[in-house]
Amino acid sequence: MGGGNPRGGVDYPRTFQEFRDWFPDDDACLDYLEGLRWPEGFVCPGCDARLGWRISQRRMWMCSACGRKTSVTAGTIFHRSHTSISTWFAAAWFVTSTKNGVSALALQQQLGFGSYETAWAWLHKLRRAMVRPDRDLLSGLVELDETFVGGVSVGKQGASTDKVPVQIAVERITAHQLGRVRFAIATRPGTAQLVEFGCSTIAPGSTIRTDGSRTLRRLADRGYTHEYRTGYNSPDKSQELPGVHLVASLLKRWLAGTLHYRASDKHLAYYLDEYAFRFNRRHSTARGMLFFRLLQQAVATDPHPLAELTADS
Ligand SMILES: [Zn+2]
């Protein structure tokens, strides 16, 4: 830094030393969050007015149009958190600076949380913040397919399969270079649901390569160039769709290393979000860039109380 405070929305820390220097206390963190949330100045979350002033405590804003009072963390994943914002920053740094992600247990130990459940809820809140980034549509040449992740768990009743069908779309830049990826859990595998997934994640006019199964041929009627080899149900998908095949195996390896327990369908969606977040930024040279993106998305994310996260889990 060449003097002045780090600006949220512009600067990001490049090293742990820099991280510590920039964010010594809650005030420094909140200043940074204001820059991220309101890069062009305060915007009222109630009426979108751009005029307001700080009141009483430094951290509250009053809208001059509707009179609503708000804080920089209101409506974000940090809303009504009982833990200090600097601890959240430490968690976000830890999660993004660790190459393959962290487990709830590691987060608990690193930050000294009293309970595993708290660490687990924090991790999932941060994962939710990872969902946002990738709403731009894929384009160019895109491979589209379904795969099954998960494995066989052995219980008292013997072995039972708990594989979950996952939809994958991945851009192929060149024969040996992949672009961005999108995932979704399939509730009706082997159906036209994969067509809908493709239409919601891939820009019209793109070329979509699939295994050519009959339902997927509808893609040609939806504004795409649909490519497939004749004679579907080819036994070797890895040759036909090498990008999807590679992403699927990387995903499975990552899940196996990250999950210390069986992922239920519900939580698998968050793991897919985290993996897509990491995969799509795998060429970022600075880990601090991931930290920056995560916080940027975090201040644009609705709060999710612990009760909601753990319901049905
Ligand atoms: Zn207002």
Side-chain angles (χ1 to χ4, degrees):
M1 290 300 296
N5 294 321
R7 292 154 298 167
V10 179
D11 302 311
Y12 56 89
R14 284 153 208 280
T15 62
F16 180 60
Q17 185 61 50
E18 210 162 47
F19 171 81
R20 284 199 308 190
D21 290 347
W22 286 16
F23 306 115
D25 52 34
D26 286 356
D27 269 350
C29 297
L30 290 165
D31 278 341
Y32 191 77
L33 281 187
E34 284 195 356
L36 280 174
R37 183 168 185 183
W38 299 313
E40 281 135 41
F42 172 77
V43 180
C44 174
C47 72
D48 291 332
R50 293 185 164 271
L51 270 178
W53 62 88
R54 292 183 189 275
I55 50 168
S56 51
Q57 310 102 310
R58 278 187 70 215
R59 291 301 163 188
M60 294 297 286
W61 285 80
M62 164 91 83
C63 173
S64 57
C66 73
R68 176 173 168 151
K69 293 175 191 171
T70 191
S71 69
V72 68
T73 56
T76 74
I77 66 167
F78 309 119
H79 193 42
R80 298 209 176 94
S81 173
H82 296 301
T83 318
S84 70
I85 193 73
S86 48
T87 308
W88 272 106
F89 269 49
W93 177 265
F94 184 47
V95 165
T96 51
S97 63
T98 307
K99 187 163 182 286
N100 289 314
V102 299
S103 66
L105 185 62
L107 188 66
Q108 182 192 1
Q109 290 167 343
Q110 186 78 10
L111 298 183
F113 284 132
S115 81
Y116 175 86
E117 190 189 41
T118 303
W120 186 92
W122 274 49
L123 208 46
H124 276 262
K125 281 192 177 192
L126 291 172
R127 283 197 178 102
R128 284 202 178 201
M130 292 177 183
V131 187
R132 289 234 162 202
D134 300 317
R135 290 308 169 219
D136 295 339
L137 298 176
L138 305 184
S139 59
L141 173 60
V142 181
E143 291 184 8
L144 177 70
D145 200 7
E146 279 172 346
T147 187
F148 284 84
V149 307
V152 173
S153 59
V154 181
K156 284 175 185 162
Q157 309 301 319
S160 70
T161 177
D162 54 0
K163 287 184 182 299
V164 179
V166 172
Q167 302 164 329
I168 300 177
V170 61
E171 292 173 331
R172 286 201 54 182
I173 311 291
T174 67
H176 300 288
Q177 191 190 355
L178 299 179
R180 298 165 297 169
V181 70
R182 298 286 183 272
F183 299 109
I185 292 174
T187 52
R188 287 171 285 120
T191 70
Q193 193 180 36
L194 188 58
V195 173
E196 298 312 315
F197 170 70
C199 293
S200 65
T201 55
I202 303 167
S206 303
T207 298
I208 303 181
R209 195 171 284 173
T210 74
D211 65 7
S213 62
R214 193 159 297 278
T215 49
L216 295 178
R217 296 184 189 181
R218 298 179 196 180
L219 285 165
D221 306 326
R222 303 286 292 270
Y224 301 98
T225 301
H226 183 209
E227 283 186 2
Y228 56 93
R229 294 195 184 169
T230 49
Y232 62 87
N233 290 335
S234 160
D236 189 5
K237 279 196 181 185
S238 64
Q239 278 202 338
E240 233 174 303
L241 301 169
V244 158
H245 184 81
L246 176 62
V247 166
S249 61
L250 290 171
L251 170 67
K252 288 169 193 175
R253 195 183 311 165
W254 181 78
L255 284 170
T258 307
L259 301 175
H260 301 293
Y261 51 88
R262 175 185 168 281
S264 69
D265 296 12
K266 186 186 172 194
H267 297 135
L268 180 62
Y270 303 135
Y271 288 106
L272 296 178
D273 289 334
E274 177 174 355
Y275 191 72
F277 178 85
R278 292 179 182 283
F279 186 91
N280 293 342
R281 287 160 191 79
R282 65 198 182 283
H283 299 308
S284 293
T285 47
R287 309 307 299 175
M289 191 59 173
L290 266 71
F291 169 80
F292 170 87
R293 291 289 176 215
L294 177 53
L295 286 185
Q296 189 176 46
Q297 286 140 211
V299 289
T301 303
D302 295 334
H304 297 280
L306 179 61
E308 186 191 325
L309 276 173
T310 52
D312 312 318
S313 62

